[in-house]
Amino acid sequence: VLATSVSPIRAYLHTNGIVRFAANEYSKGTQHSKSQTKRSFLTNLSVNNRAANTEDLTWTHKQFREYLKDDGPEVFRRIDEAIAEMLVASEKSFEKIFSNMEGSKDFKCRICYQQIGVDILLDEHMNPHIMEVNGNPMQNFKDIKLTELCKDFQFDIAKLVYGRHADDFKEKLILSLESTLPVGISFEDSFGWLNDDYIEYLLQLETEQENMDGFRLIYPPSHAGFSLTKKDDWKSYLNHLEYSSERIAFHNLLVDLQKQRVNNCVETGNECSGEVNDVVKSD
């Protein structure tokens, strides 16, 4: 996962993630030795590589999608949503940490980015459960295939983060915002509350979406705009986290803009990013 903004959060999931399997199948009620028990619950290569080849225990996201077939878009939508909710819940903590680092309450760290390793367990119903979050994920593997995946990740980070040309997207952003307005409602009346931080967030979002290549956007969410239930779930979640009405309004604007982005991509026939394709296939 790559976070390019912490307050509000903006995050992407790389399409070449790693799927790991335990070497031993878990059987409820069956007695196992200590080592067998470990290899039934843990997927760490250091635990399992004596019982099976690394190649047999590791898939890419592409291989996993091929296995899931038609269920792929829905499973990855759930994964996107689980990670997004976790990161949104962490916004206030992120802001506090970065503010303490700089010694300024209003510090936003606009030129920062953070790589995050997220370990997810999928249960028998393919529901994701976040097990661990690592702020400094290991990317130095003995396995050549895994090392190459990590190199792709770093290459795509550089393209997304340093390929920004925000000035080129100001007019496009204004047109996008205006297109979300009901007929007869002025720009100033609807978006007068957007401060400089929110405007900069939107500009960076526009530029990053032009350089996503190996990433899929997980927050702002692309699926929420196509489901009233999901939209209401997000509203309840943000209220539960006691976010301000302005932050919730900004979330709703992001959802509307992402819905517009999905529709535009489909209508123009352009190549769409992974999460957009999943929205189309799910709906």
Side-chain angles (χ1 to χ4, degrees), residues 263-282:
N263 287 333
N264 287 344
C265 189
V266 173
E267 290 171 4
T268 58
N270 293 331
E271 185 176 350
C272 305
S273 55
E275 84 285 354
V276 172
N277 288 326
D278 284 349
V279 170
V280 176
K281 291 175 183 177
S282 296

Side-chain angles (χ1 to χ4, degrees), residues 25-32 37 41:
E25 185 175 345
Y26 170 73
S27 298
K28 189 174 181 180
T30 303
Q31 293 293 323
H32 296 288
T37 301
F41 284 92

Side-chain angles (χ1 to χ4, degrees), residues 244-277:
S244 66
S245 57
E246 186 179 274
R247 173 65 181 89
I248 294 174
F250 188 60
H251 167 85
N252 291 334
L253 174 60
L254 291 173
V255 169
D256 289 341
L257 289 172
Q258 287 309 112
K259 181 177 181 180
Q260 178 191 105
R261 170 175 166 255
V262 172
N263 287 333
N264 287 344
C265 189
V266 173
E267 290 171 4
T268 58
N270 293 331
E271 185 176 350
C272 305
S273 55
E275 84 285 354
V276 172
N277 288 326

Side-chain angles (χ1 to χ4, degrees), residues 45 53 64 102 131 134 154-155 165 181 193 209 214 221 240 259 261 271:
L45 295 180
N53 293 324
F64 186 46
E102 182 66 14
M131 307 295 290
N134 192 332
Q154 297 300 326
F155 177 83
H165 302 285
L181 295 175
W193 54 273
Q209 287 177 343
H240 171 71
K259 181 177 181 180
R261 170 175 166 255
E271 185 176 350

Side-chain angles (χ1 to χ4, degrees), residues 10-279:
R10 189 171 60 251
Y12 303 85
L13 176 67
H14 200 257
T15 54
N16 271 343
I18 298 170
V19 180
R20 287 179 176 165
F21 300 92
N24 292 344
E25 185 175 345
Y26 170 73
S27 298
K28 189 174 181 180
T30 303
Q31 293 293 323
H32 296 288
S33 66
K34 186 176 180 180
S35 60
Q36 287 176 324
T37 301
K38 271 188 175 182
R39 292 195 293 265
S40 296
F41 284 92
L42 302 177
T43 60
N44 306 58
L45 295 180
S46 58
V47 174
N48 290 281
N49 59 9
R50 293 183 180 180
N53 293 324
T54 302
E55 287 282 336
D56 298 330
L57 299 174
T58 307
W59 280 1
T60 62
H61 278 186
K62 181 180 179 181
Q63 289 173 295
F64 186 46
R65 276 182 172 275
E66 290 172 353
Y67 168 79
L68 292 171
K69 297 181 180 177
D70 292 342
D71 293 328
E74 174 59 20
V75 171
F76 274 85
R77 182 199 64 75
R78 295 176 188 176
I79 292 172
D80 289 352
E81 193 170 74
I83 299 173
E85 288 179 354
M86 177 271 294
L87 291 173
V88 168
S90 305
E91 262 186 34
K92 294 178 182 179
S93 296
F94 277 131
E95 191 169 5
K96 183 177 180 180
I97 290 169
F98 279 105
S99 295
N100 289 339
M101 286 170 57
E102 182 66 14
S104 169
K105 184 179 179 181
D106 298 322
F107 180 63
K108 297 294 184 183
C109 199
R110 293 183 175 88
I111 57 173
C112 299
Y113 66 91
Q114 176 71 48
Q115 302 174 57
I116 304 170
V118 182
D119 293 346
I120 293 176
L121 171 71
L122 290 173
D123 62 24
E124 66 269 29
H125 303 296
M126 289 296 172
N127 292 315
H129 305 271
I130 294 179
M131 307 295 290
E132 182 181 0
V133 180
N134 192 332
N136 186 24
M138 185 181 78
Q139 297 184 50
N140 184 19
F141 297 97
K142 293 180 180 179
D143 184 86
I144 295 175
K145 182 174 72 173
L146 298 183
T147 300
E148 288 302 315
L149 290 177
C150 291
K151 286 181 180 178
D152 289 342
F153 179 48
Q154 297 300 326
F155 177 83
D156 289 333
I157 285 177
K159 183 173 181 180
L160 187 143
V161 172
Y162 299 110
R164 298 174 178 173
H165 302 285
D167 288 343
D168 299 336
F169 291 90
K170 288 181 180 178
E171 185 175 343
K172 181 180 177 182
L173 173 59
I174 292 173
L175 292 173
S176 296
L177 289 171
E178 287 178 340
S179 67
T180 66
L181 295 175
V183 177
I185 303 299
S186 71
F187 187 94
E188 290 74 17
D189 289 341
S190 290
F191 300 121
W193 54 273
L194 286 175
N195 58 32
D196 290 344
D197 290 329
Y198 285 147
I199 293 294
E200 183 167 4
Y201 178 103
L202 293 172
L203 279 171
Q204 289 179 346
L205 177 61
E206 287 279 357
T207 59
E208 288 170 0
Q209 287 177 343
E210 294 294 317
N211 299 292
M212 284 173 59
D213 278 11
F215 288 97
R216 53 190 288 126
L217 184 68
I218 53 177
Y219 190 89
S222 299
H223 295 81
F226 294 86
S227 168
L228 288 176
T229 301
K230 289 298 177 186
K231 202 167 186 177
D232 289 341
D233 286 347
W234 268 106
K235 182 179 179 181
S236 298
Y237 186 59
L238 293 171
N239 280 320
H240 171 71
L241 295 172
E242 298 181 348
Y243 279 110
S244 66
S245 57
E246 186 179 274
R247 173 65 181 89
I248 294 174
F250 188 60
H251 167 85
N252 291 334
L253 174 60
L254 291 173
V255 169
D256 289 341
L257 289 172
Q258 287 309 112
K259 181 177 181 180
Q260 178 191 105
R261 170 175 166 255
V262 172
N263 287 333
N264 287 344
C265 189
V266 173
E267 290 171 4
T268 58
N270 293 331
E271 185 176 350
C272 305
S273 55
E275 84 285 354
V276 172
N277 288 326
D278 284 349
V279 170

